[in-house]
Amino acid sequence: MRQIGKRLFLGGALMVILGSAYADNASVSVKTCDPYQDYSCLDSALGTGFWNRLTNYYKLEMGKDAAPVDPNAPPTRREDFPPAAMTMPPMPFTEWPYGGTTSLGVSLPNAVDSPFMNAISDTAFGQWMIDNHIQAYGWANAGFNFSNASVHGGNAPAAYSYNPNSLALDQIVEYVERIPDMVQKDHNDWGFRASMIYGQDYRYTTSYGVMSGQYLNQNLANGWDAPMLYAEWYTPFVMQGLNIRVGRYISVPDIEAQLAPNNYMYSHSMTYAYDNYTNEGIIASLAVDRNWIIQAGIEGGTDSSLNHSWSTTNNPAPNALFPNKTTRQDPGANPAGTFAVRYTTDDGKTNLQATANGINSGTWGYNNLQWYGLTFYHTFDEHWHISSEVYQEHQNNVPNLNNSYVMTSNNGGPIWTPLTFAYNSPGWASCSNAAALTCTATAKGFVTYLNYQIDPLNNLSLRPEIYWDPQGQRTGTAATYRNLAFGWQHWFSPQIEVRPEIAYYTANKAAFNGNANLGMAPNMKNLTVFSGDIIWHW
C-alpha cells in the first residue's frame, strides 16, 4: 500500500482485487475455523493487527461461557486437591474466596482469559510477555442508581453508590502481574502484581498515607489508588505448598472484594463496606494438606501506610486525650498480626475459614480495626449455593461524642482536625457512659448470599444482612441496620457482564439521606435503591 510507482493506478487496482480476494478467503477461513473445535486455528481466526485481533476475540467469545481450551495446556490444578468450587461465569470466582495469596495448588501462569493479551500475542513484545509469564489485563466498570434519597451522598451508609440518582464511573482497573506456578511440585517460583484503580471506588480502598489526600483533603469524586503492589515467592517443598507475599495487599477475610469482577452484585453489603480493606506487610500461606490451609502475617496496622508506624507530629494543645507535646501521626498504625485457618472438604463443596485480621492494641486510629470473623460456603447442587460471613470488629480508646470535655475544641487531637482531615476523619463513638472520655467501639455484621445458577451465563443472588453499630463509630449513626437485596448477573460472554439489582435498607433510627461533610443530619429510616452496572474486561 505504501509503494509508489509509475503504474500507481494499475497497482492500486491490483491491490484492491487482491485485497478483495484475501478478504473473501479470510471470511471463509473464519467461518470454517472454530477455535472451540480446533484450538490450533485460534491465531489464524483472530487475524493480524491489534484492533482486528481484539475485536475478533470479543466476537469469538460472545455467547460463550468460557475461552477456547488448549488441549496441550498443563493441568490447571493438582489432582490431589479438591475440585473447583464454582465456574466463572456466572460466578465471580472459581475457588471459595480467601485473600493474602494467589490460590494454592490451583494457579498457573498466563491463566487469565484476556482479550488484550490475545490481541498482542502475535507481536514480539506480546510473545516476550507470554514467555516470561507476565500478563496485563483489566476492566472498566460503570453503573447507575435510583433511590428515594435526595441529599448529595445521601445513600450512605449503603455502599458503594453513595450519591443517589446518579451515574458513576466506579472503577477502571489495570493489572500487570506474574502468577507463580502453584500446580507443579518440582521447583520454586515467584510472582508479582502491580494494580491501579481510577474512579469513585478509590474512596473505599484509600489507605491513609497512600495517595490519600485526594479523598481525605479534597474529597475528589474520582481518584487513583494502588490497592495491590506486592511480590510473591512460592515453594512446593514445604508440606503441600508455601506462598509468601510482601507489599500492599487485600486483607484476608471476606466474601466480597474491592474489585468489581470479584463480587456477586453491584452493591456491597454494609458488613463488607465498614471493615478492613488493605494491609501493608508480609503474609505466609501454607497448604498443610489437600483440606487445610493456614495463614499468618505481620502488617503495619490496617489501611495505613507503613511509615505511619513511626511518624509523629506536634501537638499544639496537649489535653487529657493527647497529653504529650508530640503525638503519633496515626496512633492506630502499629504492628499487627493476622492469622487464619481454612478447611475445605474433599469434594470441594463446603468451606469454613476463621480469621483474625489486623490484631494489635486496637488503639483508635484511621482504621485500626480488630477483626475476628468466620466465612462459610456450601454448594447444595449444580444450581444452588450459599456464602455466609459473620464478624466482630472493634477499636479501643475511641473519643466519646457524649462527653462535653471531649467535644470542646481540639480534644480530638491535632491529627484529626480539619487541617489534616477535611473529609472522612476517623469516627468518634456514642459511648453509653457520658462521663467516660473514651470507650471501645464495637460493630458486628452478618451477611449471606443465597445463589441460584440459572445456566452458565446467568445467576440470581439474594442478600439478607444485619449490621449492628451500637456506638455509630463505623457508619456515623448508632443504629442497627437491616438490608435485603436481590440481583441478577448476566454474562454476554466471559468478558462482558451486567448486574441489575434492587436493595432495601432499614435502620431503627434516621440514618440515611444525610451528609456530615455538608452538616446535614440524616432524616430517613428506610432506603430503597435500584441500581445496575456493566463490567467490560480487556
Side-chain angles (χ1 to χ4, degrees):
M1 291 294 290
R2 295 183 179 179
Q3 295 179 353
I4 302 175
K6 297 180 180 179
R7 301 182 183 273
L8 180 61
F9 176 78
L10 292 177
L14 179 60
M15 293 199 69
V16 169
I17 294 170
L18 291 175
S20 177
Y22 174 81
D24 289 342
N25 290 334
S27 177
V28 172
S29 175
V30 171
K31 289 180 180 178
T32 58
C33 169
D34 182 359
Y36 283 90
Q37 301 298 322
D38 179 9
Y39 185 83
S40 65
C41 72
L42 174 63
D43 197 62
S44 61
L46 297 182
T48 59
F50 174 80
W51 292 111
N52 186 48
R53 289 174 64 86
L54 185 71
T55 301
N56 285 339
Y57 194 78
Y58 280 115
K59 290 179 179 179
L60 175 67
E61 287 196 322
M62 191 62 65
K64 305 291 196 304
D65 61 358
V69 176
D70 182 357
N72 299 315
T76 58
R77 64 192 309 115
R78 292 185 183 174
E79 292 182 356
D80 57 344
F81 268 52
M86 291 287 126
T87 60
M88 183 175 65
M91 305 306 170
F93 45 75
T94 56
E95 309 299 315
W96 299 127
Y98 62 115
T101 180
T102 304
S103 296
L104 297 168
V106 298
S107 297
L108 281 177
N110 302 332
V112 175
D113 178 21
S114 165
F116 173 79
M117 290 303 300
N118 278 281
I120 67 170
S121 62
D122 68 336
T123 67
F125 180 69
Q127 192 58 52
W128 175 87
M129 292 182 68
I130 293 169
D131 291 343
N132 288 277
H133 304 316
I134 297 172
Q135 286 195 292
Y137 62 95
W139 60 86
N141 173 223
F144 70 91
N145 83 87
F146 298 104
S147 86
N148 59 324
S150 57
V151 170
H152 182 81
N155 283 346
Y160 279 4
S161 297
Y162 64 97
N163 270 335
N165 307 306
S166 63
L167 300 172
L169 172 60
D170 296 287
Q171 52 185 249
I172 298 174
V173 174
E174 182 66 17
Y175 285 175
V176 178
E177 69 179 15
R178 185 187 194 276
I179 295 177
D181 186 343
M182 297 189 179
V183 177
Q184 55 78 29
K185 299 181 180 181
D186 58 15
H187 66 272
N188 299 327
D189 205 354
W190 62 277
F192 71 89
R193 174 177 286 174
S195 69
M196 186 60 68
I197 182 174
Y198 177 78
Q200 75 165 12
D201 289 354
Y202 88 100
R203 62 183 55 230
Y204 291 96
T205 68
T206 292
S207 181
Y208 180 34
V210 182
M211 299 184 285
S212 54
Q214 302 169 93
Y215 181 24
L216 305 182
N217 301 124
Q218 302 177 65
N219 198 30
L220 297 180
N222 297 307
W224 296 91
D225 194 20
M228 286 173 281
L229 290 170
Y230 61 73
E232 292 185 319
W233 179 80
Y234 173 75
T235 178
F237 304 121
V238 181
M239 294 187 174
Q240 294 301 308
L242 170 67
N243 189 57
I244 299 174
R245 177 176 288 184
V246 181
R248 187 184 183 199
Y249 46 85
I250 304 299
S251 58
V252 172
D254 292 321
I255 297 168
E256 301 168 55
Q258 292 88 336
L259 292 311
N262 303 129
N263 298 292
Y264 291 109
M265 299 171 64
Y266 175 40
S267 68
H268 287 270
S269 66
M270 293 177 64
T271 297
Y272 177 74
Y274 294 99
D275 74 348
N276 296 342
Y277 278 78
T278 64
N279 298 122
E280 291 184 24
I282 180 171
I283 186 167
S285 302
L286 175 66
V288 178
D289 57 28
R290 71 193 310 265
N291 305 112
W292 292 92
I293 291 174
I294 59 174
Q295 296 178 282
I298 300 175
E299 301 104 7
T302 301
D303 295 327
S304 292
S305 59
L306 282 174
N307 68 293
H308 283 175
S309 297
W310 55 81
S311 58
T312 61
T313 186
N314 291 327
N315 184 1
N319 54 67
L321 291 176
F322 293 87
N324 299 319
K325 293 183 179 180
T326 61
T327 186
R328 295 279 301 285
Q329 187 168 355
D330 181 356
N334 298 307
T338 289
F339 186 76
V341 179
R342 170 186 174 87
Y343 175 76
T344 304
T345 55
D346 286 341
D347 60 10
K349 292 183 177 180
T350 304
N351 175 272
L352 179 67
Q353 179 165 324
T355 303
N357 180 244
I359 307 305
N360 54 29
S361 63
T363 300
W364 177 68
Y366 174 70
N367 206 24
N368 189 33
L369 292 168
Q370 309 299 289
W371 196 101
Y372 301 88
L374 293 170
T375 55
F376 171 76
Y377 305 90
H378 179 68
T379 298
F380 297 100
D381 57 29
E382 67 273 18
H383 294 291
W384 292 94
H385 82 267
I386 191 171
S387 304
S388 296
E389 180 175 331
V390 60
Y391 71 60
Q392 187 259 37
E393 59 187 6
H394 69 272
Q395 291 186 78
N396 299 320
N397 308 313
V398 182
N400 184 5
L401 283 168
N402 296 325
N403 183 281
S404 58
Y405 176 79
V406 172
M407 292 300 292
T408 59
S409 176
N410 205 38
N411 275 330
I415 59 173
W416 309 132
T417 66
L419 294 177
T420 305
F421 279 83
Y423 306 94
N424 199 42
S425 62
W428 293 12
S430 294
C431 305
S432 57
N433 180 6
L437 295 179
T438 66
C439 66
T440 296
T442 300
K444 299 176 183 178
F446 173 76
V447 64
T448 288
Y449 284 86
L450 179 62
N451 302 281
Y452 178 74
Q453 179 178 327
I454 301 172
D455 58 43
L457 293 174
N458 293 278
N459 182 64
L460 301 176
S461 295
L462 181 69
R463 185 184 70 208
E465 176 193 20
I466 183 168
Y467 186 76
W468 297 269
D469 188 15
Q471 289 81 34
Q473 196 272 334
R474 303 307 299 148
T475 64
T477 301
T480 297
Y481 302 84
R482 290 174 174 82
N483 164 227
L484 184 65
F486 178 75
W488 169 40
Q489 302 94 49
H490 173 67
W491 299 69
F492 295 99
S493 77
Q495 309 301 338
I496 305 169
E497 177 189 4
V498 293
R499 302 181 296 183
E501 66 175 72
I502 187 167
Y504 176 73
Y505 303 83
T506 183
N508 63 341
K509 63 177 66 174
F512 303 101
N513 204 41
N515 189 321
N517 292 326
L518 300 177
M520 303 179 68
N523 59 12
M524 290 169 43
K525 292 184 178 181
N526 304 308
L527 179 75
T528 301
V529 183
F530 172 69
S531 61
D533 71 334
I534 182 171
I535 305 172
W536 191 292
H537 299 253
W538 53 78

